[in-house]
Amino acid sequence: MSSAVSPLAPKNVPDMPVIAGVRLATAEAGIRYKNRTDVLLAIMDKGTAVAGVFTKSKCPSAPVEWCRAKLKGGKARALVVNSGNANAFTGKTGRASTALTAKIAAKAVGCSESEIFLASTGVIGEPLDATKFDGVLGRLAVAAEAGDYLAAAKAIMTTDTFPKVATATVKLGKAKVTINGMAKGAGMIAPDMATMLSFIFTDAPIAPAALQALLKAGVEDTFNAVTIDGDTSTSDTLLAFATGAAAAHGAPKISRASDPRLKAFVKAFNQILANLSEQVARDGEGARKLVEITVEGAKTKASARKIAMSIANSPLVKTAIAGEDANWGRVVMAVGKAGELADRDKLSICFNGIRVAKSGARDPSYDEAQVSEAMKAPEIAIKVSLGLGKGRDRVLTCDLTKEYVAINGDYRS
Protein backbone atom coordinates (compact mmCIF):
# COMPACT_ATOMS: atom_id res chain seq x y z
CA MET A 1 0.00 0.00 0.00
CA SER A 2 1.51 3.30 -1.11
CA SER A 3 1.77 6.32 1.17
CA ALA A 4 1.29 8.68 -1.79
CA VAL A 5 -2.28 8.82 -3.08
CA SER A 6 -2.71 8.66 -6.85
CA PRO A 7 -3.28 12.10 -8.40
CA LEU A 8 -6.18 10.51 -10.27
CA ALA A 9 -8.02 9.49 -7.09
CA PRO A 10 -11.65 10.67 -6.85
CA LYS A 11 -11.96 14.02 -5.12
CA ASN A 12 -14.96 12.95 -3.07
CA VAL A 13 -15.59 9.71 -1.20
CA PRO A 14 -19.29 8.85 -0.83
CA ASP A 15 -20.92 8.28 2.53
CA MET A 16 -21.64 4.57 2.61
CA PRO A 17 -25.05 3.81 4.13
CA VAL A 18 -25.85 0.80 6.26
CA ILE A 19 -27.27 -2.24 4.47
CA ALA A 20 -29.66 -4.30 6.54
CA GLY A 21 -28.35 -7.82 7.02
CA VAL A 22 -24.65 -6.98 6.63
CA ARG A 23 -22.12 -6.43 9.43
CA LEU A 24 -18.43 -5.68 8.96
CA ALA A 25 -15.25 -5.73 11.03
CA THR A 26 -11.51 -5.49 10.29
CA ALA A 27 -8.35 -6.34 12.19
CA GLU A 28 -4.58 -6.68 12.06
CA ALA A 29 -3.76 -10.37 11.67
CA GLY A 30 -0.10 -9.86 10.77
CA ILE A 31 -0.36 -11.68 7.44
CA ARG A 32 2.37 -9.58 5.81
CA TYR A 33 1.98 -5.91 6.68
CA LYS A 34 2.80 -4.22 9.96
CA ASN A 35 0.66 -1.62 11.70
CA ARG A 36 -2.29 -1.86 9.34
CA THR A 37 -5.49 -3.88 9.01
CA ASP A 38 -5.20 -6.88 6.72
CA VAL A 39 -8.30 -8.99 7.33
CA LEU A 40 -11.97 -8.27 6.73
CA LEU A 41 -14.92 -10.24 8.03
CA ALA A 42 -18.35 -9.54 6.57
CA ILE A 43 -21.29 -11.33 8.19
CA MET A 44 -24.61 -11.66 6.39
CA ASP A 45 -28.00 -12.66 7.75
CA LYS A 46 -29.41 -16.12 7.09
CA GLY A 47 -30.87 -16.55 3.62
CA THR A 48 -28.45 -14.16 1.90
CA ALA A 49 -28.05 -14.99 -1.80
CA VAL A 50 -24.58 -15.02 -3.35
CA ALA A 51 -23.25 -14.79 -6.90
CA GLY A 52 -19.71 -14.66 -8.20
CA VAL A 53 -17.41 -14.44 -11.18
CA PHE A 54 -13.76 -15.37 -11.05
CA THR A 55 -10.48 -15.31 -12.92
CA LYS A 56 -10.14 -17.43 -16.03
CA SER A 57 -6.49 -17.98 -15.19
CA LYS A 58 -5.48 -21.64 -15.50
CA CYS A 59 -3.49 -21.17 -12.28
CA PRO A 60 -6.22 -19.94 -9.90
CA SER A 61 -5.69 -19.37 -6.20
CA ALA A 62 -6.98 -21.74 -3.53
CA PRO A 63 -9.67 -19.25 -2.40
CA VAL A 64 -10.95 -18.97 -5.98
CA GLU A 65 -11.32 -22.74 -6.17
CA TRP A 66 -13.06 -22.75 -2.76
CA CYS A 67 -15.56 -20.08 -3.81
CA ARG A 68 -16.35 -21.74 -7.13
CA ALA A 69 -17.23 -24.94 -5.29
CA LYS A 70 -19.36 -23.24 -2.64
CA LEU A 71 -21.17 -20.94 -5.08
CA LYS A 72 -23.38 -23.83 -6.17
CA GLY A 73 -25.21 -23.62 -2.85
CA GLY A 74 -26.33 -20.08 -3.62
CA LYS A 75 -26.28 -18.95 0.04
CA ALA A 76 -23.71 -17.07 2.12
CA ARG A 77 -23.30 -16.18 5.77
CA ALA A 78 -19.78 -14.75 5.83
CA LEU A 79 -16.94 -13.42 3.72
CA VAL A 80 -13.31 -13.48 4.87
CA VAL A 81 -10.77 -11.43 2.94
CA ASN A 82 -7.08 -11.05 3.69
CA SER A 83 -4.43 -8.88 2.06
CA GLY A 84 -0.67 -9.46 1.87
CA ASN A 85 -0.82 -13.09 0.70
CA ALA A 86 -2.75 -14.40 -2.32
CA ASN A 87 -2.66 -18.06 -1.22
CA ALA A 88 -1.99 -18.87 -4.88
CA PHE A 89 0.43 -21.48 -6.22
CA THR A 90 0.57 -22.97 -2.75
CA GLY A 91 -0.54 -26.54 -3.56
CA LYS A 92 -2.02 -28.77 -0.87
CA THR A 93 -0.91 -26.29 1.79
CA GLY A 94 -3.06 -23.61 0.17
CA ARG A 95 -6.11 -25.83 0.06
CA ALA A 96 -5.59 -26.76 3.69
CA SER A 97 -5.35 -23.06 4.57
CA THR A 98 -8.68 -22.28 2.94
CA ALA A 99 -10.33 -25.21 4.71
CA LEU A 100 -8.94 -24.10 8.08
CA THR A 101 -9.94 -20.47 7.50
CA ALA A 102 -13.48 -21.54 6.63
CA LYS A 103 -13.64 -23.79 9.70
CA ILE A 104 -12.53 -20.96 11.99
CA ALA A 105 -14.95 -18.50 10.37
CA ALA A 106 -17.89 -20.92 10.49
CA LYS A 107 -17.33 -21.47 14.20
CA ALA A 108 -17.07 -17.73 14.83
CA VAL A 109 -20.23 -16.91 12.89
CA GLY A 110 -22.24 -20.01 13.77
CA CYS A 111 -22.92 -21.42 10.32
CA SER A 112 -21.91 -24.13 7.90
CA GLU A 113 -18.47 -24.00 6.26
CA SER A 114 -20.28 -24.21 2.91
CA GLU A 115 -21.69 -20.72 3.59
CA ILE A 116 -18.23 -19.17 4.05
CA PHE A 117 -16.63 -17.34 1.13
CA LEU A 118 -12.95 -16.50 0.96
CA ALA A 119 -10.68 -14.15 -0.97
CA SER A 120 -6.97 -13.45 -0.66
CA THR A 121 -4.74 -10.90 -2.35
CA GLY A 122 -1.02 -10.24 -2.25
CA VAL A 123 2.15 -12.18 -2.95
CA ILE A 124 1.83 -15.35 -5.05
CA GLY A 125 3.66 -18.53 -4.06
CA GLU A 126 4.05 -18.01 -0.33
CA PRO A 127 2.09 -20.25 2.08
CA LEU A 128 -0.69 -18.55 4.04
CA ASP A 129 -0.60 -19.31 7.76
CA ALA A 130 -4.31 -19.64 8.46
CA THR A 131 -3.67 -20.17 12.17
CA LYS A 132 -3.28 -16.39 12.34
CA PHE A 133 -7.06 -16.17 11.90
CA ASP A 134 -7.68 -18.28 15.00
CA GLY A 135 -9.06 -15.97 17.65
CA VAL A 136 -9.04 -12.97 15.31
CA LEU A 137 -12.19 -14.02 13.46
CA GLY A 138 -13.92 -14.81 16.74
CA ARG A 139 -13.23 -11.30 18.01
CA LEU A 140 -14.34 -9.80 14.69
CA ALA A 141 -17.62 -11.74 14.77
CA VAL A 142 -18.40 -10.15 18.15
CA ALA A 143 -17.27 -6.67 17.08
CA ALA A 144 -18.92 -6.64 13.64
CA GLU A 145 -21.27 -3.74 13.06
CA ALA A 146 -23.54 -2.57 10.24
CA GLY A 147 -20.89 -0.57 8.95
CA ASP A 148 -17.75 1.05 7.99
CA TYR A 149 -17.29 0.16 4.32
CA LEU A 150 -14.37 2.54 3.96
CA ALA A 151 -12.44 0.71 6.69
CA ALA A 152 -13.34 -2.58 5.01
CA ALA A 153 -12.01 -1.33 1.68
CA LYS A 154 -8.76 -0.23 3.34
CA ALA A 155 -8.20 -3.64 4.88
CA ILE A 156 -8.12 -5.38 1.48
CA MET A 157 -5.63 -2.99 -0.15
CA THR A 158 -2.16 -4.05 -1.33
CA THR A 159 -0.39 -1.59 -3.65
CA ASP A 160 -3.58 0.48 -3.87
CA THR A 161 -3.14 4.12 -2.90
CA PHE A 162 -6.76 4.73 -1.92
CA PRO A 163 -9.79 2.65 -0.87
CA LYS A 164 -12.40 2.16 -3.58
CA VAL A 165 -16.08 2.35 -2.65
CA ALA A 166 -19.34 3.22 -4.38
CA THR A 167 -23.01 3.30 -3.42
CA ALA A 168 -26.46 3.78 -4.92
CA THR A 169 -30.06 3.74 -3.70
CA VAL A 170 -33.02 2.96 -5.98
CA LYS A 171 -36.67 1.95 -5.78
CA LEU A 172 -37.62 -1.70 -6.12
CA GLY A 173 -41.36 -2.02 -5.94
CA LYS A 174 -42.51 0.14 -3.03
CA ALA A 175 -39.20 -0.02 -1.19
CA LYS A 176 -35.86 1.69 -1.41
CA VAL A 177 -32.96 -0.69 -1.80
CA THR A 178 -29.29 0.08 -1.37
CA ILE A 179 -26.25 -1.22 -3.23
CA ASN A 180 -22.78 -0.82 -1.74
CA GLY A 181 -19.57 -1.89 -3.42
CA MET A 182 -15.86 -1.98 -2.72
CA ALA A 183 -12.87 -3.04 -4.77
CA LYS A 184 -9.12 -3.35 -4.61
CA GLY A 185 -6.64 -3.45 -7.44
CA ALA A 186 -3.80 -1.41 -8.90
CA GLY A 187 -1.50 -3.88 -10.66
CA MET A 188 -1.72 -7.29 -12.35
CA ILE A 189 -4.91 -5.98 -13.88
CA ALA A 190 -6.35 -7.43 -17.06
CA PRO A 191 -9.58 -8.95 -15.77
CA ASP A 192 -11.02 -11.87 -17.67
CA MET A 193 -14.19 -12.09 -15.61
CA ALA A 194 -14.43 -9.23 -13.14
CA THR A 195 -11.58 -7.66 -11.23
CA MET A 196 -8.88 -8.29 -8.70
CA LEU A 197 -11.14 -8.31 -5.63
CA SER A 198 -14.54 -6.67 -5.50
CA PHE A 199 -17.56 -7.18 -3.28
CA ILE A 200 -21.10 -5.92 -3.76
CA PHE A 201 -23.76 -5.90 -1.05
CA THR A 202 -27.48 -5.13 -1.37
CA ASP A 203 -30.63 -5.57 0.69
CA ALA A 204 -32.68 -6.35 -2.42
CA PRO A 205 -34.47 -9.73 -2.36
CA ILE A 206 -32.90 -11.31 -5.45
CA ALA A 207 -32.58 -15.06 -5.94
CA PRO A 208 -29.08 -16.51 -6.51
CA ALA A 209 -29.67 -17.43 -10.17
CA ALA A 210 -30.99 -13.97 -11.01
CA LEU A 211 -28.12 -12.29 -9.14
CA GLN A 212 -25.62 -14.48 -10.99
CA ALA A 213 -27.08 -13.49 -14.35
CA LEU A 214 -26.95 -9.78 -13.46
CA LEU A 215 -23.35 -10.05 -12.30
CA LYS A 216 -22.15 -11.99 -15.32
CA ALA A 217 -23.72 -9.49 -17.70
CA GLY A 218 -22.62 -6.46 -15.70
CA VAL A 219 -18.89 -7.17 -15.73
CA GLU A 220 -18.52 -7.31 -19.51
CA ASP A 221 -18.47 -3.57 -20.16
CA THR A 222 -17.10 -2.57 -16.76
CA PHE A 223 -14.43 -4.68 -15.08
CA ASN A 224 -13.72 -6.69 -18.22
CA ALA A 225 -13.11 -3.42 -20.07
CA VAL A 226 -10.24 -2.30 -17.82
CA THR A 227 -6.56 -3.11 -18.11
CA ILE A 228 -3.55 -1.74 -16.27
CA ASP A 229 -0.72 -3.95 -17.49
CA GLY A 230 -2.23 -6.81 -19.47
CA ASP A 231 -1.69 -9.37 -16.70
CA THR A 232 -4.67 -11.35 -15.45
CA SER A 233 -4.42 -12.22 -11.76
CA THR A 234 -4.64 -15.70 -10.25
CA SER A 235 -7.01 -14.32 -7.64
CA ASP A 236 -9.61 -12.20 -9.47
CA THR A 237 -12.86 -12.49 -7.53
CA LEU A 238 -16.10 -10.52 -7.67
CA LEU A 239 -18.82 -11.59 -5.27
CA ALA A 240 -22.29 -10.12 -4.87
CA PHE A 241 -24.46 -10.66 -1.79
CA ALA A 242 -28.20 -9.94 -1.56
CA THR A 243 -29.60 -10.14 1.98
CA GLY A 244 -33.24 -9.69 0.94
CA ALA A 245 -33.94 -7.51 3.98
CA ALA A 246 -35.82 -4.95 1.86
CA ALA A 247 -38.62 -7.48 1.36
CA ALA A 248 -39.87 -6.51 4.79
CA HIS A 249 -40.42 -2.98 3.47
CA GLY A 250 -42.28 -3.92 0.32
CA ALA A 251 -39.56 -4.89 -2.15
CA PRO A 252 -40.78 -7.74 -4.36
CA LYS A 253 -38.87 -10.99 -4.40
CA ILE A 254 -37.06 -11.32 -7.71
CA SER A 255 -36.44 -14.75 -9.23
CA ARG A 256 -35.53 -13.77 -12.82
CA ALA A 257 -32.91 -11.33 -14.06
CA SER A 258 -35.30 -10.34 -16.84
CA ASP A 259 -37.99 -9.17 -14.38
CA PRO A 260 -39.02 -5.68 -15.62
CA ARG A 261 -39.26 -4.46 -12.03
CA LEU A 262 -35.47 -4.71 -11.88
CA LYS A 263 -34.84 -2.02 -14.51
CA ALA A 264 -33.75 0.73 -12.12
CA PHE A 265 -31.83 -1.72 -9.96
CA VAL A 266 -29.88 -3.12 -12.91
CA LYS A 267 -28.94 0.37 -14.05
CA ALA A 268 -27.67 1.28 -10.57
CA PHE A 269 -25.94 -2.09 -10.14
CA ASN A 270 -24.03 -1.61 -13.39
CA GLN A 271 -23.15 1.95 -12.44
CA ILE A 272 -21.58 0.64 -9.24
CA LEU A 273 -19.50 -1.83 -11.27
CA ALA A 274 -18.49 0.92 -13.71
CA ASN A 275 -17.58 3.30 -10.90
CA LEU A 276 -15.40 0.75 -9.12
CA SER A 277 -13.68 -0.40 -12.30
CA GLU A 278 -12.83 3.19 -13.21
CA GLN A 279 -11.37 3.71 -9.74
CA VAL A 280 -9.13 0.70 -10.37
CA ALA A 281 -7.89 2.32 -13.59
CA ARG A 282 -7.34 5.60 -11.74
CA ASP A 283 -5.17 3.77 -9.22
CA GLY A 284 -3.00 1.93 -11.72
CA GLU A 285 0.45 1.46 -10.23
CA GLY A 286 2.41 4.64 -10.85
CA ALA A 287 -0.37 6.10 -13.01
CA ARG A 288 -0.52 9.80 -13.78
CA LYS A 289 -3.03 9.67 -16.63
CA LEU A 290 -6.43 7.99 -16.94
CA VAL A 291 -6.82 6.81 -20.52
CA GLU A 292 -10.11 6.07 -22.29
CA ILE A 293 -9.79 4.26 -25.61
CA THR A 294 -12.77 4.16 -27.95
CA VAL A 295 -12.76 2.16 -31.17
CA GLU A 296 -15.61 2.75 -33.59
CA GLY A 297 -16.37 1.68 -37.13
CA ALA A 298 -15.21 -1.89 -36.56
CA LYS A 299 -16.94 -4.88 -38.10
CA THR A 300 -18.26 -6.03 -34.70
CA LYS A 301 -18.21 -4.98 -31.06
CA ALA A 302 -15.93 -7.94 -30.31
CA SER A 303 -13.49 -6.75 -32.95
CA ALA A 304 -13.56 -3.23 -31.52
CA ARG A 305 -12.88 -4.62 -28.02
CA LYS A 306 -9.87 -6.61 -29.22
CA ILE A 307 -8.39 -3.59 -31.00
CA ALA A 308 -9.04 -1.32 -28.04
CA MET A 309 -7.31 -3.78 -25.72
CA SER A 310 -4.38 -4.03 -28.10
CA ILE A 311 -3.93 -0.26 -27.83
CA ALA A 312 -4.53 -0.20 -24.09
CA ASN A 313 -1.99 -2.94 -23.38
CA SER A 314 0.76 -1.56 -25.61
CA PRO A 315 3.78 -0.45 -23.52
CA LEU A 316 4.76 1.87 -26.37
CA VAL A 317 1.37 3.60 -26.39
CA LYS A 318 1.28 3.81 -22.59
CA THR A 319 4.80 5.23 -22.24
CA ALA A 320 4.10 7.80 -24.98
CA ILE A 321 1.09 8.98 -22.98
CA ALA A 322 3.23 9.14 -19.85
CA GLY A 323 5.60 11.38 -21.82
CA GLU A 324 2.65 13.48 -23.04
CA ASP A 325 3.44 12.55 -26.63
CA ALA A 326 0.51 12.11 -29.04
CA ASN A 327 2.37 9.42 -30.93
CA TRP A 328 -0.35 8.18 -33.25
CA GLY A 329 2.16 5.93 -35.01
CA ARG A 330 2.15 3.68 -31.94
CA VAL A 331 -1.64 3.58 -32.00
CA VAL A 332 -1.51 2.53 -35.66
CA MET A 333 0.94 -0.19 -34.68
CA ALA A 334 -1.40 -1.48 -31.97
CA VAL A 335 -4.36 -1.50 -34.36
CA GLY A 336 -2.38 -3.41 -36.94
CA LYS A 337 -1.12 -6.10 -34.56
CA ALA A 338 -4.54 -6.83 -33.06
CA GLY A 339 -5.32 -9.38 -35.77
CA GLU A 340 -8.70 -7.82 -36.54
CA LEU A 341 -9.94 -6.42 -39.83
CA ALA A 342 -8.54 -2.92 -40.45
CA ASP A 343 -7.89 -0.76 -43.51
CA ARG A 344 -4.90 1.53 -43.12
CA ASP A 345 -6.25 4.05 -45.61
CA LYS A 346 -9.57 4.45 -43.76
CA LEU A 347 -8.03 4.87 -40.33
CA SER A 348 -8.53 8.09 -38.35
CA ILE A 349 -7.22 8.86 -34.85
CA CYS A 350 -8.07 11.56 -32.30
CA PHE A 351 -6.38 12.55 -29.04
CA ASN A 352 -8.65 14.46 -26.64
CA GLY A 353 -10.96 15.46 -29.48
CA ILE A 354 -8.17 16.64 -31.77
CA ARG A 355 -7.84 14.65 -34.96
CA VAL A 356 -4.18 13.82 -35.57
CA ALA A 357 -4.54 11.25 -38.35
CA LYS A 358 -7.08 10.95 -41.16
CA SER A 359 -7.54 8.42 -43.95
CA GLY A 360 -4.28 6.66 -43.25
CA ALA A 361 -2.03 9.72 -42.94
CA ARG A 362 -1.32 12.68 -40.69
CA ASP A 363 -4.24 15.09 -40.57
CA PRO A 364 -3.62 18.08 -42.86
CA SER A 365 -4.57 20.48 -40.07
CA TYR A 366 -2.30 18.86 -37.48
CA ASP A 367 -0.88 21.38 -35.01
CA GLU A 368 1.92 20.01 -32.79
CA ALA A 369 1.60 22.79 -30.19
CA GLN A 370 -2.16 22.29 -29.85
CA VAL A 371 -1.87 18.54 -29.43
CA SER A 372 1.07 18.79 -27.01
CA GLU A 373 -0.96 21.09 -24.78
CA ALA A 374 -3.91 18.67 -24.84
CA MET A 375 -1.66 15.78 -23.78
CA LYS A 376 -0.86 17.56 -20.50
CA ALA A 377 -4.37 16.82 -19.23
CA PRO A 378 -4.73 14.15 -16.51
CA GLU A 379 -7.39 12.35 -18.59
CA ILE A 380 -6.62 11.33 -22.15
CA ALA A 381 -9.24 10.14 -24.65
CA ILE A 382 -8.02 8.25 -27.71
CA LYS A 383 -10.58 7.59 -30.43
CA VAL A 384 -9.88 5.32 -33.36
CA SER A 385 -12.26 5.26 -36.31
CA LEU A 386 -11.87 2.25 -38.61
CA GLY A 387 -14.56 3.09 -41.17
CA LEU A 388 -15.54 -0.54 -41.71
CA GLY A 389 -18.82 -1.10 -39.87
CA LYS A 390 -20.90 -0.28 -36.81
CA GLY A 391 -18.89 -2.11 -34.16
CA ARG A 392 -17.91 0.07 -31.20
CA ASP A 393 -16.35 -0.46 -27.80
CA ARG A 394 -14.56 1.38 -25.01
CA VAL A 395 -11.89 0.36 -22.53
CA LEU A 396 -10.06 2.11 -19.72
CA THR A 397 -6.36 2.02 -18.92
CA CYS A 398 -3.62 4.30 -17.62
CA ASP A 399 -0.16 5.42 -18.62
CA LEU A 400 3.01 3.45 -17.88
CA THR A 401 5.55 5.33 -15.78
CA LYS A 402 8.88 4.74 -14.05
CA GLU A 403 6.95 4.32 -10.81
CA TYR A 404 5.29 1.18 -12.16
CA VAL A 405 8.72 -0.39 -12.62
CA ALA A 406 9.83 0.75 -9.17
CA ILE A 407 6.71 -0.63 -7.45
CA ASN A 408 6.94 -4.01 -9.13
CA GLY A 409 10.71 -4.26 -9.03
CA ASP A 410 10.74 -4.40 -5.24
CA TYR A 411 7.25 -5.79 -4.52
CA ARG A 412 8.56 -8.77 -2.51
CA SER A 413 11.56 -6.96 -1.02
Side-chain angles (χ1 to χ4, degrees):
M1 182 169 62
S2 173
S3 59
V5 176
S6 168
L8 303 172
K11 302 303 180 185
N12 299 305
V13 179
D15 292 327
M16 302 293 288
V18 166
I19 289 184
V22 179
R23 295 182 292 127
L24 306 169
T26 62
E28 296 179 24
I31 302 299
R32 178 177 176 84
Y33 307 112
K34 294 181 179 180
N35 302 317
R36 58 151 287 190
T37 55
D38 58 4
V39 61
L40 160 67
L41 175 65
I43 302 175
M44 282 74 69
D45 284 355
K46 291 181 180 179
T48 294
V50 62
V53 284
F54 309 93
T55 182
K56 291 182 181 177
S57 168
K58 300 303 180 184
C59 299
S61 69
V64 165
E65 290 182 322
W66 174 275
C67 288
R68 280 177 175 157
K70 306 309 174 189
L71 199 63
K72 298 173 184 176
K75 299 296 181 182
R77 287 295 315 283
L79 166 70
V80 180
V81 189
N82 75 270
S83 58
N85 187 311
N87 195 12
F89 201 63
T90 47
K92 293 181 179 179
T93 300
R95 291 189 285 275
S97 292
T98 58
L100 179 56
T101 303
K103 182 178 180 180
I104 295 170
K107 182 179 179 181
V109 174
C111 68
S112 166
E113 293 170 26
S114 64
E115 297 176 298
I116 302 293
F117 286 79
L118 309 173
S120 299
T121 180
V123 174
I124 294 170
E126 294 184 3
L128 173 63
D129 182 4
T131 62
K132 291 186 176 182
F133 296 125
D134 199 9
V136 172
L137 294 181
R139 292 194 297 273
L140 290 180
V142 174
E145 297 179 344
D148 194 340
Y149 286 86
L150 195 61
K154 288 179 179 178
I156 66 175
M157 290 165 59
T158 51
T159 58
D160 305 62
T161 71
F162 62 87
K164 301 162 183 66
V165 293
T167 186
T169 300
V170 295
K171 290 291 289 292
L172 180 59
K174 297 179 180 180
K176 285 186 177 181
V177 297
T178 302
I179 310 168
N180 284 353
M182 70 180 82
K184 68 81 49 186
M188 200 183 287
I189 308 299
D192 195 5
M193 44 46 77
T195 185
M196 308 31 70
L197 295 184
S198 186
F199 310 106
I200 311 296
F201 302 89
T202 181
D203 54 357
I206 303 177
L211 190 62
Q212 183 67 39
L214 293 180
L215 192 63
K216 186 175 181 180
V219 298
E220 284 307 313
D221 289 328
T222 56
F223 284 121
N224 275 356
V226 171
T227 179
I228 301 302
D229 45 26
D231 288 330
T232 295
S233 170
T234 60
S235 307
D236 289 347
T237 297
L238 171 53
L239 294 169
F241 303 94
T243 68
H249 303 287
K253 295 182 178 181
I254 303 296
S255 59
R256 297 178 295 106
S258 59
D259 192 317
R261 294 172 295 182
L262 268 183
K263 185 176 180 180
F265 180 91
V266 171
K267 183 178 179 180
F269 185 82
N270 290 342
Q271 285 175 342
I272 293 288
L273 299 180
N275 185 318
L276 292 173
S277 60
E278 180 175 315
Q279 289 188 57
V280 169
R282 287 181 175 275
D283 203 18
E285 290 172 338
R288 294 295 178 268
K289 310 264 187 195
L290 177 68
V291 185
E292 178 186 64
I293 299 169
T294 302
V295 175
E296 62 183 19
K299 276 294 184 180
T300 64
K301 176 182 171 65
S303 179
R305 168 67 62 89
K306 190 172 180 180
I307 292 170
M309 281 293 187
S310 178
I311 298 167
N313 284 323
S314 167
L316 289 176
V317 172
K318 292 160 73 71
T319 50
I321 294 170
E324 300 182 343
D325 177 14
N327 192 332
W328 67 87
R330 295 182 178 182
V331 177
V332 172
M333 172 278 300
V335 172
K337 75 170 185 175
E340 294 297 308
L341 189 63
D343 186 332
R344 177 198 62 204
D345 297 332
K346 293 183 179 180
L347 194 63
S348 295
I349 301 169
C350 294
F351 282 85
N352 274 7
I354 303 170
R355 193 169 61 192
V356 297
K358 177 186 178 184
S359 302
R362 185 173 71 178
D363 193 285
S365 63
Y366 178 79
D367 183 332
E368 180 75 25
Q370 180 191 27
V371 178
S372 294
E373 184 62 30
M375 293 301 290
K376 294 178 181 179
E379 299 184 10
I380 304 296
I382 300 175
K383 184 169 76 171
V384 174
S385 300
L386 299 174
L388 300 174
K390 296 182 179 180
R392 185 182 187 279
D393 207 357
R394 163 191 173 274
V395 302
L396 291 177
T397 188
C398 60
D399 56 346
L400 180 60
T401 67
K402 293 178 182 178
E403 286 78 12
Y404 179 89
V405 178
I407 290 167
N408 286 284
D410 64 4
Y411 181 60
R412 294 203 311 137
S413 300

